[in-house]
Amino acid sequence: MKIGVVGLGRMGGNIARRLMDKGHDCVVFDVSAAAVDALAADGASPARSLAELASALPAPRAVWVMLPEGKITEDAVSELLAGLDPDDVVIDGGNTFYKDDVRRAKAFADKGLHYVDVGTSGGVWGRERGYCLMIGGDKAAVDRLDPIFAALAPGAGSIDPTPKREGRDPRVEQGYMHCGPAGSGHFVKMIHNGIEYGLMQAYAEGFDIIRGKASTELPEDRRFDIDVADVAELWRRGSVVSSWLLDLTATALAADPHLDGFEGRVADSGEGRWTIEAAIEEAVPADVLAAALFARFRSRVAHPFSDRLLSAMRFQFGGHKEPPASVGEETKTRT
């Protein structure tokens, strides 16, 4: 297929590259001319505007938007809505709030266009490993885009099939799922990220407790000077708490056991807050997820080892750099 890709950052650029690796043609656009040129050097067709991108695509067009959540995505989607033709489809693969997807899908349907939301997980490793895709939108548009989703997804790999899944959607075992109507894909991704907060916080706190056992404030016969990097490596092998997050934790600790390269300010990108809002709307207890979100707020004031480990894990799987401290945060840290 030939598809447009708008937004060529850490995720968007590698999405385009993976699609090209799998034999698809990409027309690419970004406000950064250097980013466009880099993809063009890898075989993509460059566009210098959204209008030029649209004119380079065959009808019915498909455009994948991979931009930060908020006004920049809203503006790009609005411009595409105004410039595309009936039966064209826009895919938002970023971390958009699912209620915005519902609103946009109605506006697209009123003009005879399709809007598909895709929660995309895989971080900076996605080009190599593939992306777990959580898809919302009408069935006709999703089915038409199946070759794109299949190319981006990781595939079954070496994971053993789950027993008693006979008769269920086989695409799920390939790493992508049509979750339901518009908004449902980003809703599932939102909950995914809320759970991610909780898992990361549990690892960070556990390793901090192990590390703290060497404290001279404890009686000497109760001190254990345990190598946390070796514990992480150990737990990767046969433990019930093994996971890709633990793999990344082991990588971070092996490279920097004291995490001196991290200050511990951990950002929240919106999905954690939205997950708690959804829990409140539904009256569902979410104690762990809420606590993990609040821990991220606290990390911007004080920076213990657990927060530095959270920063290290985020950098490992997503290339996320620590945000600079605001003036207020710097004041709180000093006091």
Side-chain angles (χ1 to χ4, degrees), residues 9 23 30 46 48 50 70 82 97 116 140-141 154 173 179 216 224 230 295 335:
D30 192 282
R48 302 303 172 182
L50 289 177
F97 186 39
V116 173
E173 296 177 351
C179 300
T216 56
F224 303 140
D230 281 355
T335 59

Side-chain angles (χ1 to χ4, degrees), residues 140-162:
V142 172
D143 287 349
R144 182 201 306 172
L145 295 166
D146 190 77
I148 295 298
F149 300 139
L152 290 174
S158 60
I159 299 174
D160 293 333
T162 300

